[in-house]
Amino acid sequence: MKIAVIIVRVLLAAMYLFASVSYFLNLMPKAPEMTAAQTSFMTGLMASVYLFPLIKITELVGGVLLLIGRTAPLAALVVFPVTLNIFLYHAFLGPKDLPMVAVMLLFNLFLFYAYRTKYLPIVSK
């Protein structure tokens, strides 16, 4: 179980670090073709000016925290809203990448299960 947690933690961290670093360093060559609904959604994100960079900063911080073993339970909590929104975006607007995103969600849920004892003080009286 311990090795599985390390593997899942590092893979999820790699996904988030790749997504955030490639955004900040402009490494993504060209945006893929999007449907009208996807374009509308992304236009709204970009129109807010601060939201997309905030998401990418959250991904970067979450990825770094996932790599650090002691902070992984906190990182799983920090990145879960991002993971859930990525999953819902692909579920409703772009199901082409849904299998990979579903794996991200399963990885996050697996980390919740693995670190469940760390979360008990949060929910106990």
Side-chain angles (χ1 to χ4, degrees):
M1 179 74 166
K2 197 173 198 178
I3 293 174
V5 170
I6 293 170
I7 291 170
V8 167
R9 183 171 52 87
V10 169
L11 287 175
L12 191 61
M15 287 185 224
Y16 277 119
L17 288 174
F18 175 75
S20 60
V21 169
S22 63
Y23 171 78
F24 289 119
L25 298 179
N26 294 322
L27 297 177
M28 295 306 244
K30 182 184 173 211
E33 293 294 322
M34 293 191 287
T35 65
Q38 289 173 323
T39 303
S40 176
F41 181 82
M42 292 307 283
T43 302
L45 275 180
M46 295 303 177
S48 68
V49 180
Y50 76 94
L51 192 56
F52 204 70
L54 177 65
I55 292 168
K56 292 302 178 180
I57 289 170
T58 304
E59 288 178 357
L60 181 65
V61 169
V64 170
L65 290 176
L66 278 169
L67 286 179
I68 302 169
R70 292 181 58 90
T71 58
L74 173 63
L77 284 174
V78 168
V79 299
F80 183 71
V82 176
T83 305
L84 185 61
N85 278 298
I86 293 170
F87 176 78
L88 292 173
Y89 169 83
H90 286 285
F92 289 105
L93 299 176
K96 181 183 72 157
D97 294 326
L98 191 59
M100 184 189 70
V101 176
V103 168
M104 286 178 70
L105 183 62
L106 288 174
F107 281 179
N108 211 154
L109 293 173
F110 174 77
L111 290 177
F112 279 157
Y113 177 76
Y115 298 128
R116 65 190 177 280
T117 57
K118 303 281 186 188
Y119 303 131
L120 287 177
I122 296 172
V123 295
S124 64
K125 290 183 180 181

